[in-house]
Amino acid sequence: MNKEIVKLPKIDLHRHLDGSVRVETILDIAKKHNFSLPTNDVNELKKYVQVSPQCRSLSEFLKTFDFFYNFLKFPDVLERIAYESCQDAVEKENVKYLELRFAPPLQTNPEIRFSEEDVLKSILNGIKYAQRDFKIKVGVILCLYRYYNITEEQNLKTLKLAEKYFSSGEVVGIDLAGDESKYSVLLYKKFFDYAKMIGIPITCHAGEAADAKEVLNAIKLGAKRIGHGIHIYEDEEIMKIVKNEGLTLEICLTSNLQTQVVDSIEKHPIKKYYDYGIKITINTDDPSVSNIDLNHELNLAYDVFKFNLDDIKKIILNALESAFISDKEKRNLLEEFNKEFYN
Ligand code: ADE
Ligand code: ZN
């Protein structure tokens, strides 16, 4: 691991809260809430929480989450995982600005009347305490979700929540996540239209497990950032649009390898995009499921694609420029980053 990379101040724009849960915390939660686990050994438990080495697709990757969704349905648990996820970002990765995303309906619990808004409030509490205790700023992105058991009504509730909490500054944007191999972004047009109308910034998982056209569809629907977008190399016209419109790609290297949307890390188009002039960023996606962190991902870029330290700094500053925060907040962060980059 390159020590200079570890020391750099960082930004992660693409991190799923539910993909950032400490394995130890799952053990602890199970004890407190009287859940039985297949094992009480942390190392054994990792096999259930982390993606299997045999994972062959995004659909299989997403199945990993089913194991621990059962536990993430209580206010204390959500507050805790939000807090810990920020703490890990600060203490292990030197992340200064983090955008955390999740889909509230995946964490509701009718048995205790725990609603989508309760989910959001619990998570916002955890983030509030983390921002009090650590030097980090966190923005929340709410995910509309492509999934067989998420209904239109639930996605609409997510959007309404985003609207309500965007006006108070506690939510900074919306996303469309879930299984792109099964559901086109076009199915969600009306949600995007509404999001555009209320002026909430949009990012969208696209061109991850589907082809470049899905990225174009997402752009046409109003996305300013694209989660992954790794298939755009298939279509030079779309690459041109992404570059010329100054759109941002949220690249997540290890995740792409694990979902097998690239055959090998060497075949990942990240360097091609960078050299072409596309605004790329490097992110974690699901650090605990993928068993990585941002240091690991930046180091991968350094080792495999021969990005040098200046390139890495440029990629971090791309993230700063693309963050869903005000220009004033960007200027303040930029000053802080420049000081740390160049002294
Ligand atoms: N949710 C968590 N990880 C995801 C990914 N890589 N793509 C879509 N949805 C996700
Ligand atoms: Zn993602």
Side-chain angles (χ1 to χ4, degrees), residues 16 58 61-62 65 145 177-178 205 208 228 255 285-286:
H16 295 262
L58 176 60
F61 182 89
L62 293 174
F65 290 78
Y145 215 78
H205 284 72
E208 180 187 18
H228 307 285
S255 165
D285 213 10
D286 300 290

Side-chain angles (χ1 to χ4, degrees), residues 223-271:
K224 294 290 181 240
R225 296 188 347 211
I226 298 293
H228 307 285
I230 66 154
H231 283 282
I232 63 168
Y233 69 87
E234 295 160 358
D235 191 325
E236 174 94 26
E237 273 311 302
I238 298 178
M239 273 180 58
K240 246 188 233 163
I241 292 170
V242 171
K243 176 185 165 171
N244 294 341
E245 294 195 11
L247 306 174
T248 301
L249 294 187
E250 303 162 359
I251 302 275
C252 309
L253 292 168
T254 299
S255 165
N256 293 158
L257 192 63
Q258 291 169 338
T259 56
Q260 296 213 353
V261 293
V262 287
D263 295 337
S264 67
I265 198 67
E266 291 77 13
K267 288 196 179 145
H268 197 290
I270 184 173
K271 186 70 166 54

Side-chain angles (χ1 to χ4, degrees), residues 287-319:
S288 62
V289 172
S290 292
N291 192 24
I292 51 98
D293 65 13
L294 193 52
N295 290 326
H296 176 274
E297 297 300 282
L298 291 171
N299 210 69
L300 203 55
Y302 181 85
D303 278 347
V304 177
F305 301 99
K306 306 300 169 209
F307 286 108
N308 62 32
L309 271 182
D310 282 335
D311 297 324
I312 300 281
K313 287 175 188 169
K314 168 96 177 56
I315 290 168
I316 293 172
L317 293 182
N318 282 345

Side-chain angles (χ1 to χ4, degrees), residues 12 15 85-86 89 95-100 136-139:
D12 194 334
R15 185 174 297 200
S85 161
C86 301
V95 168
K96 305 281 185 193
Y97 177 69
L98 173 66
E99 284 179 6
L100 265 182
I136 186 167
K137 172 156 175 61
V138 183

